[in-house]
Amino acid sequence: MTSLLWVRIDSDLASHDKILNLVHDANPRRWQAAFSYVCAIGWSGGRGTDGKVSAYALPYIHGTSTTARLLVEHGLWEPNGRGSWQIHNFADRQQTTAVTEQRRTEAARAACIRWHGPECWGPKGCSRT
Ligand SMILES: [Zn+2]
């Protein structure tokens, strides 16, 4: 898995309709759910899960089964099989692991050609490593 050091948060997050619906929910856990939503984006980016959040991750994002249910009710998370969720639209806003790996490979290739010459880079990458 390829991890991201940073993730993107929509600058209009606070006024997004799904967020507004969540923070106006009657459930007293709504603020915890909202915070865990943001933490989950960071957690997923850091672990390269492309928006998948497993039940075991809930304590690490300050969430619970109740906050997870609230996020699903308001369309911010989608159920993703048994005991896991998908952050809605994660791939639209974050760099996926495939793109991250592609960019790292392109950077390694450029460095290899620069320092070792055009003959060094092959199907398995740099022939000197
Ligand atoms: Zn090389």
Side-chain angles (χ1 to χ4, degrees):
M1 289 192 186
T2 304
S3 64
L4 299 173
L5 292 175
W6 302 93
V7 291
R8 296 185 186 127
I9 301 291
D10 185 344
S11 56
D12 289 326
L13 178 71
S15 57
H16 193 282
D17 56 350
K18 289 181 168 80
I19 293 291
L20 289 175
N21 288 336
L22 171 64
V23 300
H24 288 100
D25 195 287
N27 192 302
R29 294 292 182 190
R30 66 190 180 275
W31 297 111
Q32 183 182 0
F35 184 59
S36 74
Y37 171 74
V38 175
C39 289
I41 293 170
W43 182 90
S44 176
R47 279 142 198 87
T49 68
D50 288 343
K52 184 183 175 189
V53 179
S54 299
Y56 75 80
L58 289 174
Y60 302 109
I61 60 165
H62 310 293
T64 64
S65 58
T66 299
T67 62
R69 183 174 47 76
L70 275 168
L71 292 172
V72 169
E73 279 177 21
H74 292 288
L76 291 157
W77 282 9
E78 292 147 7
N80 186 23
R82 192 176 167 87
S84 72
W85 301 271
Q86 177 67 35
I87 300 169
H88 182 70
N89 281 347
F90 185 89
D92 295 345
R93 298 192 171 90
Q94 311 302 330
Q95 185 170 292
T96 61
T97 57
V99 171
T100 302
E101 285 170 11
Q102 182 187 352
R103 288 187 181 169
R104 286 185 184 166
T105 300
E106 285 169 4
R109 179 177 176 276
C112 170
I113 291 170
R114 177 177 179 186
W115 299 109
H116 305 151
E119 307 302 318
C120 187
W121 190 264
K124 292 181 179 176
C126 176
S127 62
R128 296 197 192 181
T129 56

